Amino acid sequence: MTEIVIPPVDWRVATQLSIIFGWASVLLVIALFVPRSRTRIVGYLAMVGAMVAAAVGIPLWGVNAETFSGMLRLDAYSLTLNWLFLAAAAITMVLSFDYLPRQGIERSEYYVLVLFATGGMMLLAQGADLIILFLGLELLSIVLYVLTGFAYPRNASEEAGMKYLLIGAFAGGFVVFGIALLYGATGSMNLRAIGETLAQQTLTLEERIYLLAGAALVVVGFGYKVAMAPFHMWAPDVYEGAPTPIAGLLSVGSKAAGFAALLRFLVEALAGEWQIWAPVLAALAIATLAVGNIGALTQRNVKRMLAYSSIGHAGYILFGVIAAGAPGGIAGQRGVEGVLLYLIAYTFTNLGAFGVLIALEHRGEAAWDMSDLAGLWSRRPWLAVAMAVCMLSLAGVPPTGGFWGKFYVFTAAWLSGMGWITVIGVIVAAIAAFYYLRIVAQMFMAEPAREAPLPMDRALRAGLALATLGVLILGFIPTPAIDLVQRVVLGG
C-alpha cells in the first residue's frame, strides 16, 4: 500500500491571512454583544487586526515560499499587495466611523465584513492555483454583495446589491468554466505548472482550443471584477447605490485584487502565449479607456463620474498588464512595477475623493451633484484642497501620485513594443483631464449653491488626511514607493 506523504505547512505564507480571517471570526462573535450605540468599538478592534497583520508582514519581506502543495504563495509581489489591501481597509473603516451613524446604518458586522473582504483580496494576491483564485474571487464577491446592499432600507442600495449579485454570479460562472477547460488542456491548476507545460510540451489542436477558450473565459470573469469594457455595465449603478465608503473600497480594493490575480495568471501561466493575448487585451484597454472617459464626460453626478473614471483607469492599468507578459526582461519588469505603482497611487486618490463625498453627505441626503461642490473653497477650504489634489492625481498632473502611475504604465507599454497604445493613452489622458479640472473649477470659481457641510468627525478628518497625504507624498517623494515596486519580481 502506497503511503501518502503530506508536505509540511509553511505557516509564514499564511500568517497574514490567518490573522485577518481568525480575528474577523472572533469579532463576529464579539459583535453579537456590542450595542448599536457602541459599534465603533468593533471598528477599532478591526483596525487593530489590520495593523497587526500589516506589521507581521514586515519581517516576511524577502521570503519567497509556497505552501499547501504550491497553492498559496508569499513573495514580494503578494506582500506588497497585502499591505495595500490592509491600508485600503483601514482607511475605509476610518471613513465609515462618521458615515454609518450619520446615515443611520451603524451595525457592528459592517467592520467584520470589511475584514473578510480584505482576506478575499489577499487570497487573490497570494493565490498560485486556479482553485485558490476562484475561492478568493467568490469570498470577496459574496462579502461585497452584502456590503453594497448594507444601507437597508434605502432602495438604491438594495438595488445595487442585487445587480452586483446577479452580474457577479454570472462572472463567476465564466471563471469556473474557464478553469475546467484549462485543466482539460494542461492537466494542472497550478499556475507555474501550466506555464511549464506550455513551455515543454506541444499541445494538440483540441488541447490548444481548450487552452485559449479557457484563458478567454477566465479573463472575462476577472474583467467583470475590474470593470473592464465591455464587462463594465454594473459599475455606475453599483457605485451610486452602495454606501459611499464601500463604493470607495469597490473602486480600489476590488479592482486591485482583480488585477493582482489577472496579472499573475497571465504572466505565470500564459506568458508563452503573449503574442495571442496581448493584442486582445490592447483592444480591450482602448475600449475601456473610451467607454470610461466618454461616460465620465457626460456625468453631472460626481459618484457616477468616479465610477466611469474607475472604468477608464482600468484601461491604463491594462497597459502595465500587457507589458508585464512581454518577452524580455525590461518591459516585463517595468509592467509589473507600473501596475503596482498605479494601484498604490489610485488607492489613496480614490479613497480621498470618496472621503470628500462622505463629508458632504447629510443624513438621508445625497450630495453628489456637481452643483453641490460649487464654491466649496469658500465653505470648507480643507475639503476643496483635498478634492483638488485627488482630481489632479486622477488626471495624472505632476507632482501627484497619479502622474507617476501613468508614467510607469505608459513607459512599460512603449518598451513592450506597443507604442501605438501608449500614444492613444496619452491623448485620452489629456482629454480626460477636462472633467477632473471641471470639478476643480467648480469648487474654486463658482458661487456656493448650498449651505456649509455638517461638521466633520475627527475620524473622517483623519481618513481624508491619510489619503490626501498619501497622494502628495507619492507625488513629491516617489522614491520609497518606486524602490519598493522595483524589488518585486513576479513569480520570483
Side-chain angles (χ1 to χ4, degrees):
M1 184 175 179
T2 304
E3 183 180 356
I4 299 175
V5 178
I6 301 176
V9 176
D10 188 345
W11 285 106
R12 296 176 302 169
V13 178
T15 299
Q16 290 180 302
L17 284 167
S18 301
I19 291 173
I20 291 298
F21 286 126
W23 188 233
S25 300
V26 171
L27 286 183
L28 193 60
V29 177
I30 294 176
L32 296 174
F33 304 96
V34 176
R36 179 169 292 191
S37 59
R38 299 293 182 87
T39 56
R40 190 173 289 199
I41 294 175
V42 179
Y44 290 143
L45 292 174
M47 287 190 63
V48 169
M51 289 187 288
V52 169
V56 166
I58 296 175
L60 295 176
W61 183 259
V63 172
N64 190 357
E66 297 178 345
T67 193
F68 299 115
S69 300
M71 299 180 75
L72 204 64
R73 185 178 306 153
L74 181 68
D75 50 18
Y77 175 77
S78 58
L79 191 55
T80 301
L81 286 163
N82 283 352
W83 282 330
L84 180 63
F85 298 145
L86 292 167
I91 294 175
T92 298
M93 286 187 276
V94 171
L95 295 176
S96 302
F97 286 150
D98 181 49
Y99 177 86
L100 296 181
R102 195 195 302 172
Q103 297 296 326
I105 56 173
E106 66 272 38
R107 296 180 183 87
S108 300
E109 57 268 27
Y110 173 92
Y111 301 102
V112 179
L113 290 170
V114 171
L115 276 188
F116 276 120
T118 307
M121 298 174 200
M122 294 165 69
L123 263 182
L124 285 169
Q126 291 191 237
D129 187 278
L130 291 171
I131 294 297
I132 295 295
L133 293 184
F134 177 71
L135 289 176
L137 177 67
E138 287 304 295
L139 172 61
L140 174 61
S141 298
I142 290 170
V143 175
L144 289 178
Y145 301 153
V146 178
L147 287 171
T148 299
F150 201 81
Y152 178 83
R154 205 174 75 196
N155 290 335
S157 179
E158 297 300 297
E159 181 183 347
M162 183 58 67
K163 286 181 178 178
Y164 196 26
L165 168 63
L166 294 175
I167 294 176
F170 189 63
F174 278 99
V175 175
V176 172
F177 195 14
I179 290 174
L181 291 176
L182 287 168
Y183 181 76
T186 62
S188 177
M189 291 190 182
N190 184 275
L191 300 182
R192 280 184 176 170
I194 293 173
E196 292 170 359
T197 298
L198 297 180
Q200 297 170 6
Q201 299 180 19
T202 301
L203 301 182
T204 65
L205 177 61
E206 184 180 17
E207 290 172 337
R208 190 160 181 79
I209 292 173
Y210 288 162
L211 172 76
L212 296 178
L217 290 173
V218 171
V219 170
V220 168
F222 282 106
Y224 277 103
K225 180 56 61 180
V226 302
M228 175 175 65
F231 319 114
H232 65 283
M233 66 290 294
W234 59 271
D237 290 341
V238 171
Y239 281 37
E240 184 180 13
T244 306
I246 298 306
L249 185 63
L250 268 171
S251 71
V252 296
S254 176
K255 185 179 295 292
F259 273 115
L262 182 62
L263 182 60
R264 195 187 284 277
F265 169 68
L266 291 173
V267 172
E268 293 192 355
L270 297 176
E273 305 294 328
W274 185 81
Q275 298 293 344
I276 295 176
W277 60 258
V280 175
L281 278 191
L284 291 175
I286 299 304
T288 303
L289 288 177
V291 169
N293 289 294
I294 292 173
L297 280 169
T298 62
Q299 298 300 315
R300 290 288 303 174
N301 184 309
V302 180
K303 208 172 180 185
R304 290 182 70 87
M305 186 276 286
L306 288 174
Y308 278 105
S309 166
S310 177
I311 295 168
H313 284 282
Y316 297 121
I317 299 171
L318 280 173
F319 286 14
V321 174
I322 294 166
I330 298 177
Q333 180 60 25
R334 178 55 69 93
V336 175
E337 294 169 6
V339 170
L340 291 176
L341 193 60
Y342 204 111
L343 290 175
I344 292 171
Y346 183 72
T347 294
F348 286 104
T349 302
N350 243 36
L351 287 176
F354 278 99
V356 173
L357 294 186
I358 292 171
L360 293 174
E361 289 184 45
H362 294 255
R363 179 166 182 162
E365 178 185 355
W368 307 329
D369 191 86
M370 203 80 71
S371 62
D372 293 317
L373 296 173
L376 187 59
W377 167 252
S378 62
R379 296 182 286 141
R380 282 291 173 84
W382 154 238
L383 284 180
V385 170
M387 192 64 161
V389 168
C390 293
M391 292 299 102
L392 293 175
S393 181
L394 288 172
V397 176
T400 59
F403 166 76
W404 292 108
K406 280 189 171 64
F407 176 78
Y408 263 69
V409 294
F410 286 159
T411 55
W414 186 273
L415 290 171
S416 70
M418 289 200 167
W420 62 277
I421 65 169
T422 308
V423 174
I424 294 175
V426 172
I427 294 173
V428 171
I431 297 172
F434 166 76
Y435 59 82
Y436 296 122
L437 296 179
R438 180 176 61 181
I439 290 180
V440 177
Q442 186 84 347
M443 293 188 299
F444 287 86
M445 301 175 66
E447 291 296 323
R450 59 179 291 173
E451 72 280 0
L454 292 174
M456 283 195 297
D457 182 88
R458 288 182 181 179
L460 180 55
R461 292 188 182 189
L464 268 173
L466 282 172
T468 307
L469 286 175
V471 174
L472 291 174
I473 291 172
L474 281 170
F476 284 98
I477 315 174
T479 306
I482 291 174
D483 287 343
L484 177 69
V485 300
Q486 285 180 342
R487 296 182 185 183
V488 175
V489 179
L490 187 55

